[in-house]
Amino acid sequence: MATKIITISREFGSGGRTIGRQVAEALGIPFYDKELVEQVALESGFAPDFVAENAEHSPSANRFAYAFSQQAVPGAFNGMSTADILWSIQCSVIQQLAEKGPCVIVGRNADYILKDRTDVLNVYIHAPIEQRAERIVRLYGESEKKPEARLNEKDKRRRINYQHYTGRTWGAPQNYALCLDSGALSIEKCVELIVSASK
Amino acid sequence: MATKIITISREFGSGGRTIGRQVAEALGIPFYDKELVEQVALESGFAPDFVAENAEHSPSANRFAYAFSQQAVPGAFNGMSTADILWSIQCSVIQQLAEKGPCVIVGRNADYILKDRTDVLNVYIHAPIEQRAERIVRLYGESEKKPEARLNEKDKRRRINYQHYTGRTWGAPQNYALCLDSGALSIEKCVELIVSASK
């Protein structure tokens, strides 16, 4: 498989982001996580026309293009949430990042956004809840909420977001070439397997 | 991960059995598929007491042990289907095969049956339906039913059987260390990744 682009979806606390970064380092290709994609989208100062023109492959392309085409009319954004607008911009950003060449993209439903490409390896990282709970407390510290509640809340948000924008079930193996249990396999082994799968 | 036992669950037509055989060959360890396990169970001529004694870890252990303990009473097997009896014997056989040493076991819900061991690598193989349809026609020939109908029927049976005996969802990534798409990755790559994951 001549993979150029690797997308990584992950349960919160499974180490998917760390795995993604290490895969990118091992392959010597750029690493884009959610924050970076958001930043690119927000900082790029896309002209509305540009976004409208480049968002045609996104799920809400028509509504989006329509909203922007109506921008001179007061209240034209009614009915489009900030999340929807950001989603559309991010679809466009992710498609353009993929066009640039090989890379690793973590999160942002990139597997779905790039579904029409044939050079993408989609990966899903999960782990048992006890190991994820231990990991988030170690990395992000304690909080008022129990770690299990934090995990469930974040995963629920990711699941709903994925379902909303893609119509697919988050974490269903059919959407991914590889689903890996980072708890059973270790972070290092996951990196090794993804690198091997991409070659 | 010091894996000794590899279980492989698979969608019909995904090449999971072939992958399992090749993994076993690559690692130089025995390969047990559904037919072999069934054969061992049926040919072993287990004494009822032996089976009753060794089936205590199986899901229907109590009912099974009870049925055998009542064997002198006519009609004692009422309420236990042949499938239930075979399942119980197979649980025992699989646990004993695992005790013997490293091996690859395909099918028979072995991931669940061996869930209390810590030396097991659970793998799930799937593939897009078009590729599976092409594969079963190539390997098993045409039949009156369309290949897609054959796939759905067989998968449905496996799903229901798994759900019935384990209470889990068949193909949910949480049950497996690796889920691999043999269509996206190729049979050879799946073998390579499983061998690598087992080391």
Side-chain angles (χ1 to χ4, degrees):
Chain A
M1 168 172 216
T3 300
K4 291 181 188 163
I5 296 148
I6 299 169
T7 76
I8 298 190
S9 310
R10 76 290 184 218
E11 288 182 347
F12 184 48
S14 67
R17 196 169 164 279
T18 303
I19 290 168
R21 199 188 320 108
Q22 292 185 14
V23 167
E25 282 169 11
L27 293 172
I29 59 178
F31 170 71
Y32 305 115
D33 67 359
K34 172 186 158 184
E35 287 71 24
L36 186 59
V37 172
E38 278 182 9
Q39 198 184 336
V40 170
L42 293 172
E43 287 184 358
S44 62
F46 282 133
D49 284 349
F50 174 82
V51 176
E53 190 182 300
N54 287 277
E56 75 260 19
H57 301 301
S58 76
S60 29
N62 292 338
R63 285 162 62 206
F64 188 70
Y66 175 78
F68 271 99
S69 71
Q70 302 295 311
Q71 62 174 317
V73 183
F77 287 106
N78 284 351
M80 266 195 99
S81 68
T82 313
D84 280 353
I85 294 170
L86 190 59
W87 163 253
S88 290
I89 298 176
Q90 284 178 346
C91 284
S92 175
V93 168
I94 285 174
Q95 284 162 356
Q96 289 177 53
L97 290 175
E99 272 303 309
K100 277 187 177 180
C103 61
V104 175
I105 305 173
V106 171
R108 299 288 87 190
N109 308 339
D111 59 303
Y112 178 82
I113 295 170
L114 301 176
K115 68 180 163 32
D116 294 330
R117 299 184 68 107
T118 56
D119 56 353
V120 179
L121 180 78
N122 296 315
V123 179
Y124 181 79
I125 307 288
H126 60 96
I129 197 155
E130 309 79 43
Q131 282 166 286
R132 296 193 288 130
E134 184 277 325
R135 186 178 168 85
I136 65 165
V137 169
R138 181 159 44 82
L139 290 187
Y140 310 121
E142 300 276 359
S143 86
E144 278 178 21
K145 282 187 194 162
K146 285 192 177 172
E148 286 76 8
R150 290 158 69 190
L151 290 169
N152 287 334
E153 195 180 296
K154 196 110 173 185
D155 283 345
K156 188 177 169 190
R157 241 185 281 164
R158 287 183 183 166
R159 192 177 307 116
I160 290 171
N161 179 279
Y162 190 80
Q163 167 75 30
H164 177 73
Y165 286 112
T166 72
R168 295 178 178 178
T169 303
W170 190 60
Q174 284 67 27
N175 300 333
Y176 312 95
L178 284 96
C179 299
L180 303 177
D181 179 341
S182 61
L185 294 166
S186 85
I187 300 280
E188 298 68 33
K189 183 54 86 175
C190 288
V191 172
E192 187 190 320
L193 294 175
I194 297 167
V195 168
S196 167
S198 76
K199 288 181 176 169
Chain B
M1 170 173 215
T3 299
K4 292 183 188 159
I5 296 147
I6 299 169
T7 76
I8 298 191
S9 310
R10 76 289 185 219
E11 289 182 346
F12 184 46
S14 68
R17 197 169 163 279
T18 303
I19 290 168
R21 199 188 320 110
Q22 293 185 14
V23 167
E25 282 168 12
L27 293 172
I29 59 178
F31 170 70
Y32 305 115
D33 67 359
K34 173 186 158 184
E35 287 71 26
L36 186 59
V37 172
E38 278 181 10
Q39 198 184 336
V40 171
L42 293 172
E43 287 185 358
S44 62
F46 282 133
D49 284 348
F50 174 80
V51 175
E53 189 182 301
N54 287 278
E56 75 262 19
H57 299 302
S58 75
S60 28
N62 292 338
R63 285 161 63 206
F64 187 70
Y66 175 78
F68 271 99
S69 71
Q70 301 296 309
Q71 62 174 318
V73 183
F77 287 106
N78 284 353
M80 266 196 100
S81 69
T82 314
D84 280 354
I85 294 170
L86 190 59
W87 164 253
S88 289
I89 297 176
Q90 284 178 348
C91 283
S92 175
V93 168
I94 285 174
Q95 284 162 355
Q96 289 178 52
L97 290 175
E99 272 302 310
K100 276 186 176 181
C103 61
V104 175
I105 305 174
V106 172
R108 301 286 87 189
N109 308 338
D111 58 303
Y112 177 82
I113 295 170
L114 301 176
K115 69 180 163 32
D116 295 330
R117 298 184 69 106
T118 56
D119 56 354
V120 180
L121 181 78
N122 296 315
V123 179
Y124 181 78
I125 307 289
H126 59 97
I129 196 156
E130 310 79 41
Q131 283 166 283
R132 296 192 288 132
E134 186 276 325
R135 185 178 169 86
I136 64 165
V137 169
R138 182 160 43 82
L139 290 187
Y140 310 120
E142 300 276 359
S143 85
E144 280 178 18
K145 281 187 193 161
K146 285 193 176 171
E148 286 76 7
R150 290 157 69 190
L151 290 169
N152 288 334
E153 195 180 296
K154 196 110 172 183
D155 283 345
K156 189 177 168 188
R157 241 185 283 163
R158 286 182 184 168
R159 192 177 308 115
I160 290 172
N161 178 278
Y162 189 80
Q163 167 75 33
H164 177 74
Y165 286 113
T166 73
R168 296 180 178 176
T169 302
W170 190 60
Q174 284 67 25
N175 300 334
Y176 312 95
L178 284 96
C179 299
L180 304 176
D181 180 340
S182 60
L185 295 165
S186 84
I187 299 279
E188 297 69 32
K189 183 55 85 178
C190 289
V191 173
E192 188 189 319
L193 294 175
I194 297 167
V195 168
S196 167
S198 76
K199 286 179 176 170

